[in-house]
Amino acid sequence: MNREFLLNLVFLILINLIIKPFYVFGIDLKVQNVVENYSLYFALLNFSYIFQIFSDLGIQQYNNRNIAQHDYLFDKYFPHILGLKGGLSLVFLFLSLSTALILGYGWKELYLLLFLLLNQIFITFTFFFRSNISGLQYYRLDSILSILDKLLMMLICIPLLWGPWVAFFQIEWFIYAQTAAFGLTAFISFALTRRYLKGKLVLYWNKPLLRAILKQSIPFSLVVLLMNIYTRIDAVMIERLLYDPVTNKGIQEGNIYAAAYRLLDAINMICFLFAGLLLPMFARMLKNKEDVQPLLKLSSSIMLVITVSFSIAVCFYAQEIMPLLYVNYSPSMSEVLILLMIGFNSIGMIHIVGTLLTANGNLMSMNIVFVVGIVINMCSNYFLILEYGAWGAAISTIITQSFVALAELELARRTFNLSTNILFLGQILLFVIGVGLINWGLQRMVIPWFCGFVLAGICSVGWALITKIIDVRGILRVIKTKAA
């Protein structure tokens, strides 16, 4: 399984590095630079994530784990779940729009929100179709589908953003383009999934079976809902707490936070790729009573190298990166970015350890951790945002993510009887110190900052090999071994 993880991880990262960075920094960034009300879009987008789980109720995670362990259930479950998701999508629309009205959003905001909610529905359907594909162990096809929506967005938006229409570009156009791209991706994903069904597709509404599915999937939904709340509420709270039509402080601080958060979102895609790849693998290994510790250590080591190397380099070069990206740059953007990058290391570990706990079914314990995380996040956000704006929201993110990461690590240690490897912890500390010194030294050399940034990444990987955070011999041995 380690070999399968490594080969698919390399393939997954390569195709995502080809497409997604261009989308984030070429399309999404260009949109923010050419429209004035991007902060409103950013707040509404984050709001659309909060109730997203009600369009799925954990079905994706449950289905991915279930099909990976019992692939013969695919033909039985798929038609029932497909019909169920249609009904849940209507519930999601009702809850989101009702809450938006209660919060005081006007008709213009509600109109934009409606399309963003439709986009979320398309995304959840795509994830459901992909969960079947990856559960059936077609990992490379799932990897290709993971970048299809961004590829379609590029094809739609490039003529709009670099053509004669750019002077008239509106945020509505961007949202409509997303609706088209996400809708088409969902349809293609459905068509590909349909190929693996034996016989005709007929939607069923078998109440006993659906109740049984929901009973098992709802704990997964709580995990996703609680995670969405403590990771997405920041932008909404900035926009609502600092709302002032005279000074536009909420818009200003929202733009600062959105600008810094974009880079976090971009690199966080790698973490999501890890989680999506690891969930069916961990689930199958646990079902077969295989030892998950080697795969856990391998994936954690690779994740640590990525998060530590990237976050430290960005902290050193934040003042050069942000002016390059944004037309309306302010020093506060770099300060907020540095804070968010500090919290990124915790996010990486949450994706690895949380995926293992999800595969093992430790959902109640995880939900308790997330509830405490939400309380910490909302309380700290309330006081820190009112006092420090976007900077305060970033501090709150560090506090919350650090707590969740440590709590999940402790939960995993107790669940799987993981021993504390003092040598490995020493290697991690040595690696972090070394990466910091590498960036410090390169920053003081008389070379262009971008060259220093790239060299820092290369040297950090080399330092990971020297400190044996990444075991090259072990990896080569795994690759040469035939897949189990």
Side-chain angles (χ1 to χ4, degrees), residues 13-275:
I13 290 178
L14 282 177
I15 64 171
N16 276 271
L17 285 178
I18 293 171
I19 299 297
K20 288 188 176 179
F22 182 82
Y23 169 78
V24 173
F25 299 110
I27 303 299
D28 198 39
L29 178 61
K30 178 74 171 178
V31 171
Q32 182 170 359
N33 282 327
V34 300
V35 300
E36 295 181 356
N37 56 343
Y38 187 87
S39 64
L40 174 62
Y41 161 78
F42 185 69
L44 291 174
L45 177 64
N46 280 276
F47 180 85
S48 71
Y49 279 110
I50 293 176
F51 295 104
Q52 182 195 46
I53 191 56
F54 289 101
S55 67
D56 183 73
L57 284 184
I59 289 172
Q60 175 213 331
Q61 289 82 5
Y62 163 75
N63 189 66
N64 198 338
R65 176 174 177 260
N66 194 47
I67 298 301
Q69 295 179 336
H70 315 285
D71 53 12
Y72 57 87
L73 292 176
F74 169 65
D75 292 280
K76 178 182 179 181
Y77 277 28
F78 183 79
H80 294 86
I81 294 178
L82 189 59
L84 176 62
K85 282 188 62 64
L88 292 175
S89 297
L90 296 177
V91 175
F92 164 65
L93 284 173
F94 175 77
L95 284 174
S96 299
L97 292 174
S98 300
T99 306
L101 281 170
I102 294 172
L103 291 176
Y105 282 114
W107 292 112
K108 179 183 178 181
E109 290 84 1
L110 289 172
Y111 174 77
L112 296 177
L113 180 61
L114 178 60
F115 279 92
L116 291 173
L117 295 175
L118 289 174
N119 293 346
Q120 295 298 339
I121 290 172
F122 288 137
I123 289 171
T124 60
F125 269 98
T126 300
F127 282 161
F128 166 61
F129 299 139
R130 286 178 52 198
S131 72
N132 287 284
I133 291 172
S134 62
L136 293 170
Q137 301 186 70
Y138 296 104
Y139 299 120
R140 288 172 181 78
L141 177 58
D142 177 55
S143 299
I144 293 171
L145 290 174
S146 72
I147 54 95
L148 181 59
D149 57 343
K150 300 299 184 292
L151 180 61
L152 292 172
M153 279 292 294
M154 288 162 53
L155 294 175
I156 296 171
C157 289
I158 286 175
L160 297 175
L161 290 170
W162 281 272
W165 307 280
V166 65
F168 311 101
F169 194 90
Q170 302 173 32
I171 194 63
E172 289 87 344
W173 296 9
F174 184 57
I175 296 174
Y176 300 153
Q178 287 180 322
T179 303
F182 295 155
L184 188 55
T185 300
F187 177 78
I188 293 173
S189 301
F190 165 72
L192 291 172
T193 308
R194 173 69 181 82
R195 292 168 48 198
Y196 301 111
L197 274 178
K198 299 172 183 176
K200 294 181 178 181
L201 173 61
V202 180
L203 299 183
Y204 294 103
W205 195 262
N206 186 321
K207 290 184 180 180
L209 178 59
L210 292 179
R211 277 198 296 267
I213 292 174
L214 286 175
K215 185 177 179 180
Q216 297 179 69
S217 68
I218 282 178
F220 290 92
S221 72
L222 288 176
V223 170
V224 179
L225 173 63
L226 297 175
M227 285 187 68
N228 280 342
I229 291 175
Y230 83 75
T231 57
R232 297 291 178 176
I233 199 67
D234 301 22
V236 178
M237 292 186 72
I238 290 173
E239 197 271 337
R240 292 286 92 185
L241 288 174
L242 302 180
Y243 177 77
D244 190 330
V246 178
T247 63
N248 287 328
K249 185 178 180 181
I251 294 177
Q252 294 169 7
E253 293 297 319
N255 279 329
I256 291 171
Y257 194 74
Y261 206 88
R262 169 172 287 106
L263 202 58
L264 176 64
D265 249 352
I267 188 62
N268 198 25
M269 291 178 183
I270 301 295
C271 300
F272 279 111
L273 297 178
F274 268 74

Side-chain angles (χ1 to χ4, degrees), residues 275-289:
L277 188 59
L278 283 171
L279 181 58
M281 291 185 176
F282 278 141
R284 189 170 289 268
M285 292 178 72
L286 290 167
K287 175 182 179 285
N288 296 332
K289 302 188 183 304

Side-chain angles (χ1 to χ4, degrees), residues 156-459:
I156 296 171
C157 289
I158 286 175
L160 297 175
L161 290 170
W162 281 272
W165 307 280
V166 65
F168 311 101
F169 194 90
Q170 302 173 32
I171 194 63
E172 289 87 344
W173 296 9
F174 184 57
I175 296 174
Y176 300 153
Q178 287 180 322
T179 303
F182 295 155
L184 188 55
T185 300
F187 177 78
I188 293 173
S189 301
F190 165 72
L192 291 172
T193 308
R194 173 69 181 82
R195 292 168 48 198
Y196 301 111
L197 274 178
K198 299 172 183 176
K200 294 181 178 181
L201 173 61
V202 180
L203 299 183
Y204 294 103
W205 195 262
N206 186 321
K207 290 184 180 180
L209 178 59
L210 292 179
R211 277 198 296 267
I213 292 174
L214 286 175
K215 185 177 179 180
Q216 297 179 69
S217 68
I218 282 178
F220 290 92
S221 72
L222 288 176
V223 170
V224 179
L225 173 63
L226 297 175
M227 285 187 68
N228 280 342
I229 291 175
Y230 83 75
T231 57
R232 297 291 178 176
I233 199 67
D234 301 22
V236 178
M237 292 186 72
I238 290 173
E239 197 271 337
R240 292 286 92 185
L241 288 174
L242 302 180
Y243 177 77
D244 190 330
V246 178
T247 63
N248 287 328
K249 185 178 180 181
I251 294 177
Q252 294 169 7
E253 293 297 319
N255 279 329
I256 291 171
Y257 194 74
Y261 206 88
R262 169 172 287 106
L263 202 58
L264 176 64
D265 249 352
I267 188 62
N268 198 25
M269 291 178 183
I270 301 295
C271 300
F272 279 111
L273 297 178
F274 268 74
L277 188 59
L278 283 171
L279 181 58
M281 291 185 176
F282 278 141
R284 189 170 289 268
M285 292 178 72
L286 290 167
K287 175 182 179 285
N288 296 332
K289 302 188 183 304
E290 299 177 36
D291 184 9
V292 297
Q293 291 197 42
L295 181 57
L296 176 63
K297 184 179 179 181
L298 175 63
S299 56
S300 299
S301 300
I302 297 174
M303 178 66 81
L304 274 171
V305 172
I306 293 172
T307 58
V308 171
S309 301
F310 186 82
S311 62
I312 292 179
V314 170
C315 287
F316 273 90
Y317 294 100
Q319 293 181 347
E320 289 80 16
I321 293 172
M322 297 305 278
L324 180 67
L325 297 178
Y326 296 100
V327 175
N328 300 317
Y329 166 76
S330 71
S332 298
M333 293 180 179
S334 298
E335 295 172 5
V336 173
L337 176 62
I338 290 172
L339 294 173
L340 290 176
M341 283 296 106
I342 293 173
F344 175 54
N345 296 285
S346 296
I347 294 173
M349 281 299 99
I350 290 171
H351 279 288
I352 298 294
V353 181
T355 300
L356 175 60
L357 293 171
T358 301
N360 195 52
N362 299 100
L363 304 179
M364 182 59 70
S365 301
M366 291 175 66
N367 286 331
I368 293 172
V369 170
F370 293 149
V371 167
V372 177
I374 289 171
V375 173
I376 293 172
N377 186 256
M378 295 189 72
C379 291
S380 57
N381 263 326
Y382 181 81
F383 294 105
L384 291 173
I385 288 175
L386 288 174
E387 184 69 26
Y388 303 107
W391 192 87
I395 290 290
S396 177
T397 297
I398 294 176
I399 295 171
T400 306
Q401 300 289 10
S402 298
F403 164 76
V404 173
L406 291 173
E408 286 196 348
L409 282 169
E410 176 60 19
L411 181 58
R413 187 188 69 80
R414 294 185 180 186
T415 302
F416 298 97
N417 296 317
L418 303 178
S419 58
T420 303
N421 191 328
I422 302 298
L423 176 61
F424 186 58
L425 293 177
Q427 289 174 312
I428 293 173
L429 179 61
L430 186 62
F431 174 69
V432 172
I433 294 172
V435 172
L437 291 174
I438 288 169
N439 282 273
W440 180 81
L442 288 170
Q443 192 184 49
R444 279 150 182 76
M445 295 176 64
V446 187
I447 57 175
W449 75 265
F450 183 74
C451 294
F453 185 84
V454 174
L455 282 172
I458 296 172
C459 293

